[in-house]
Amino acid sequence: MKILHLDSNHPLLKNELSELGFTNHEDFSSTKEEIEEIIYAYDGIIIRSRFAIDQTFLDKATNLKFIGRVGAGLENIDTTYAASKGIRLFNAPEGNRNAVGEHALGMLLSLFNKLNKADHEVRNGQWLREDNRGIELDLKTVSIIGYGNMGRAFARKLRGFDVEVICYDIKEDVENSDATQVDLQEIFEKTDVLSLHTPETPETIGMIHKEFINKFAKPFWLINTARGKSVVTEDLVDAMEEGKILGAGLDVLEYEKSSFENLFTSKNEMPTPFKKLLNMPNVLLSPHVAGWTIESKEKLASTIVHKIKSEFC
């Protein structure tokens, strides 16, 4: 079987597939249209997020048997159409779940203890101890929306704290010893910290909006290491200005991908909500790297190899 690698990944991936007898080709630079001209010759493709795998692409891939997506989500692939053609889909949320759990916890503790703010001030000759008095995580209620690989990993990281961990998921019976599954009403009543771990679906796009936020009984902290489009930035900023959200750790943004860098060029007008977000001291930002560690790069590759091997060897 011939596999086309469309993104660079850990060398383990190609090396182990070669050892299993697969023929591996790489093409990291051709356009999607150019790839469509040759894809008929391949049995499998390995991709991260280089371009969308849509119906047009899949119709050209007449011999395709599987797609390996080196990451957690599959929103970049027309999964329904791929399934109708009998194409197997492999992703690897097991590979970076630990990294995501650690990153979410790191963001939360940094916000609670004002670490970024304090670091910036000390570097600039300011020694403001009272202004940087933190709060403790113990005795808080941490709510997790989306209790799959990532949500479970974050809950596991909270074991060492005296906190109540509750979770909401559209699937039934997802709770384990690290979190108790509840309905949304209990999430609204109890939450001190809300952490999102949902995929991008029609149901989760714009999920955190004004009406949703207003249902919470208490002001809360928001952590989003899931998908940027799940949070309406304008409504988030308004809620923070009104004190309904106390702070936010955002590894993902509504504006990321190809449009993000353009926000910082003189040719484009930066959206007003994003300008405000950038100037809020109680906001912590990172560039979609929660699952992006040295270790997870290897784990992701290994997971994809294992799944391909289990199905085709």
Side-chain angles (χ1 to χ4, degrees):
M1 295 175 68
K2 292 171 64 176
I3 300 176
L4 181 60
H5 296 251
L6 296 170
D7 288 296
S8 62
N9 288 292
H10 195 284
L12 173 153
L13 188 96
K14 194 174 78 167
N15 292 343
E16 293 199 1
L17 287 173
S18 294
E19 290 177 5
L20 291 170
F22 293 93
T23 299
N24 295 274
H25 295 164
E26 296 177 343
D27 189 331
F28 304 154
S29 59
S30 295
T31 66
K32 179 184 175 184
E33 290 71 24
E34 289 170 335
I35 296 295
E36 287 175 351
E37 294 300 314
I38 62 171
I39 195 59
Y40 70 89
Y42 290 93
D43 301 284
I45 58 174
I46 303 292
I47 193 169
R48 289 203 314 269
S49 302
R50 183 168 154 197
F51 53 70
I53 305 297
D54 53 19
Q55 289 191 23
T56 300
F57 185 94
L58 293 170
D59 282 339
K60 303 269 189 176
T62 52
N63 290 307
L64 199 63
K65 298 174 180 63
F66 70 86
I67 300 170
R69 201 258 151 165
V70 188
L74 290 170
E75 62 268 18
N76 212 36
I77 302 170
D78 189 331
T79 56
T80 302
Y81 196 63
S84 74
K85 288 181 163 288
I87 298 171
R88 293 300 310 274
L89 302 176
F90 305 120
N91 59 333
E94 307 93 334
N96 61 357
R97 60 189 175 191
N98 182 71
V100 170
E102 290 189 3
H103 194 96
L105 179 58
M107 281 190 140
L108 179 56
L109 294 177
S110 182
L111 286 168
F112 271 29
N113 293 284
K114 303 181 181 179
L115 295 184
N116 278 42
K117 175 180 175 293
D119 176 81
H120 177 76
E121 291 171 353
V122 171
R123 291 174 188 273
N124 286 278
Q126 296 176 290
W127 196 259
L128 307 176
R129 296 186 68 211
E130 187 58 37
D131 195 49
N132 286 298
R133 189 182 291 273
I135 61 174
E136 296 178 16
L137 182 55
D138 274 18
L139 304 183
K140 304 291 190 297
T141 296
V142 179
S143 298
I144 297 171
I145 294 184
Y147 204 64
N149 280 281
M150 309 304 169
R152 287 173 178 268
F154 180 50
R156 196 174 305 123
K157 300 303 174 189
L158 293 167
R159 284 177 178 172
F161 297 89
D162 185 12
V163 295
E164 180 183 17
V165 183
I166 57 179
C167 67
Y168 172 80
D169 196 283
I170 59 173
K171 297 179 180 178
E172 297 181 359
D173 301 323
V174 298
E175 69 178 285
N176 62 4
S177 59
D178 299 320
T180 301
Q181 188 171 10
V182 300
D183 59 22
L184 274 177
Q185 187 55 42
E186 190 163 343
I187 296 284
F188 294 142
E189 291 171 359
K190 289 187 172 182
T191 298
D192 295 300
V193 176
L194 178 66
S195 189
L196 304 182
H197 298 277
T198 49
E200 184 176 305
T201 68
E203 293 74 27
T204 62
I205 292 175
M207 176 176 63
I208 309 300
H209 53 76
K210 182 176 182 179
E211 290 77 12
F212 187 89
I213 294 168
N214 287 339
K215 291 180 180 180
F216 285 80
K218 300 181 287 184
F220 64 95
W221 299 79
L222 175 67
I223 304 294
N224 186 11
T225 56
R227 290 293 182 261
K229 291 181 181 178
S230 294
V231 178
V232 179
T233 308
E234 182 176 7
D235 292 353
L236 167 63
V237 169
D238 288 346
M240 293 183 69
E241 290 179 335
E242 295 167 4
K244 295 175 181 176
I245 293 181
L246 301 171
L250 307 173
D251 179 54
V252 289
L253 292 167
E254 183 180 355
Y255 311 104
E256 68 180 284
K257 295 293 185 184
S258 59
S259 63
F260 180 75
E261 289 80 1
N262 294 335
L263 294 172
F264 292 85
T265 68
S266 58
K267 296 179 181 179
N268 293 275
E269 181 63 30
M270 185 179 290
T272 299
F274 189 52
K275 284 183 182 178
K276 291 182 178 180
L277 197 71
L278 291 176
N279 289 304
M280 288 179 163
N282 53 341
V283 172
L284 185 61
L285 303 169
S286 57
H288 203 151
V289 292
W292 205 254
T293 64
I294 300 298
E295 293 84 357
S296 72
K297 185 176 183 180
E298 181 172 349
K299 290 177 186 176
L300 286 166
S302 181
T303 299
I304 292 296
V305 171
H306 174 74
K307 291 183 176 181
I308 294 172
K309 179 181 178 181
S310 296
E311 184 69 22
F312 294 103
C313 295

